[in-house]
Amino acid sequence: MTNISISANIGNEVFQSPFINAAGVFDETAAEMNQILNSEAGGVTTKSATLKPRKGNPTPRYADTKFGSINSMGLPNQGLDYYLNFIEKNEINKPIDLSISGTSREDNLTALKKVQKSSFTSLCELNLSCPNVIGKPQVGYDLTAIEETLTAVFEFFTKPLGLKLPPYFDLQQYDAVAKILNKYPLTYINTINSVGNGLVVDAKTESVVIRPKGGFGGIGGTYVKPVALANVRAFRQRLNPEIKIIGTGGVKTGLDVFELILCGADIVEIGTALAQEGPHIFARLKQELTDIMQEKGYHQLSDFRGKLKEYQN
Ligand code: SIN
């Protein structure tokens, strides 16, 4: 294990281990973010922030299921100032993924102007893919809206910017989205958000399992791993090499981390499994990933990143 490094870079940030929490899990309050920072996670993601604090959707709005989870949180968060203040007041020596998710383009631009004026220098992630804001479609499925948003953002935003994308399912969607993203100086994308508007049924009570939106919600966990692998792979094959990729979706073990990196992820984020297991998961992932690398004779992540092979007989 001694000569194995699992560090990774995005922009100017160095992640000593290639996994952090997914936005929305263990990151709404300072206490939760500190738990992530004190674990073996390589950095911390903040809960997607709106301009003002927000209560989110009515409860129950999250349920664990046999193969993962369903949620319709609706962006409960403490407001952007809270997260900027947490970052400014604490000496944080790990990378930060500051997630922004305004409920309109105007709000996103106002929030990013605030980040631009602040002393924040780590990674800022614009979430264009929350499926749970009642009455609002996911911007990431509207190509014109993605392009108009990015054009407006890069008129003033000069800090490292990433985009959180929804899952895509058609090769032409990847072509079209990548063509747009490649026009802008993005530092990274984060793919995938939950698979939006799934439905989980409790046969015993013959009802849905969460209250908002008639039970429709974002699906995470083991169900979505193949979709995450496909999105990471498809974007790595299409994006300019300087745009890095955070792979998110269905990671539970070191083997899942290995597979996402093999598909081209620079680092990965953990959502459902972190909600279920808690921040100790990062120490387990570190051990499991390192064991796999040792067994395969790899010394660093770049030895296998993006090197997924075609079908072998
Ligand atoms: C939520 O708060 O509803 C989840 C965040 C997201 O899916 O982007």
Side-chain angles (χ1 to χ4, degrees), residues 23-24 47-48 57 71-76 99 101 127 129-133 164 193-194 218:
K47 172 66 192 167
S48 289
N57 292 341
N71 89 83
S72 182
M73 303 302 289
L75 300 173
S99 177
S101 191
N127 180 356
S129 51
C130 179
N132 305 325
V133 180
K164 178 89 176 258
N193 205 323
S194 58

Side-chain angles (χ1 to χ4, degrees), residues 251-301:
V251 173
K252 226 169 148 171
T253 66
L255 190 60
D256 299 325
V257 177
F258 177 81
E259 290 179 12
L260 273 168
I261 295 174
L262 194 63
C263 287
D266 289 279
I267 66 165
V268 308
E269 287 188 354
I270 326 293
T272 299
L274 171 61
Q276 295 173 344
E277 189 173 332
H280 291 303
I281 193 173
F282 293 111
R284 180 172 64 73
L285 293 177
K286 184 175 179 180
Q287 186 64 53
E288 291 172 358
L289 177 63
T290 312
D291 287 349
I292 292 166
M293 289 173 66
Q294 187 161 39
E295 203 181 304
K296 287 177 173 282
Y298 292 138
H299 299 287
Q300 54 213 356
L301 301 177

Side-chain angles (χ1 to χ4, degrees), residues 60-204:
R61 55 195 181 186
Y62 175 94
D64 286 318
T65 65
K66 194 165 173 199
F67 300 110
S69 65
I70 182 166
N71 89 83
S72 182
M73 303 302 289
L75 300 173
N77 76 93
Q78 311 282 330
L80 178 58
D81 287 345
Y82 178 91
Y83 299 102
L84 282 174
N85 196 41
F86 172 79
I87 292 159
E88 273 162 15
K89 293 275 152 61
N90 290 280
E91 265 184 38
I92 300 172
N93 57 5
K94 287 183 175 181
I96 299 159
D97 190 11
L98 173 64
S99 177
I100 306 281
S101 191
T103 54
S104 67
R105 186 180 307 163
E106 211 174 51
D107 279 5
N108 277 331
L109 295 176
T110 307
L112 288 173
K113 280 180 184 154
K114 213 164 199 184
V115 176
Q116 176 70 26
K117 277 201 196 126
S118 75
S119 59
F120 179 75
T121 55
S122 200
L123 307 171
C124 184
E125 181 170 302
L126 182 59
N127 180 356
L128 295 184
S129 51
C130 179
N132 305 325
V133 180
I134 294 164
K136 300 273 179 182
Q138 288 160 271
V139 175
Y141 287 132
D142 179 340
L143 297 184
T144 309
I146 297 176
E147 189 150 17
E148 285 174 358
T149 301
L150 289 177
T151 300
V153 167
F154 283 113
E155 271 170 23
F156 65 89
F157 199 77
T158 58
K159 296 185 176 182
L161 187 76
L163 280 192
K164 178 89 176 258
L165 296 172
Y168 299 102
F169 300 94
D170 192 282
L171 297 185
Q172 288 194 348
Q173 284 178 305
Y174 297 124
D175 290 343
V177 175
K179 195 171 164 200
I180 294 169
L181 303 186
N182 280 336
K183 292 189 214 165
Y184 297 92
L186 281 167
T187 301
Y188 67 103
I189 62 161
N190 185 342
T191 177
I192 58 173
N193 205 323
S194 58
V195 174
N197 298 301
L199 199 59
V200 172
V201 168
D202 180 347
K204 210 194 281 175

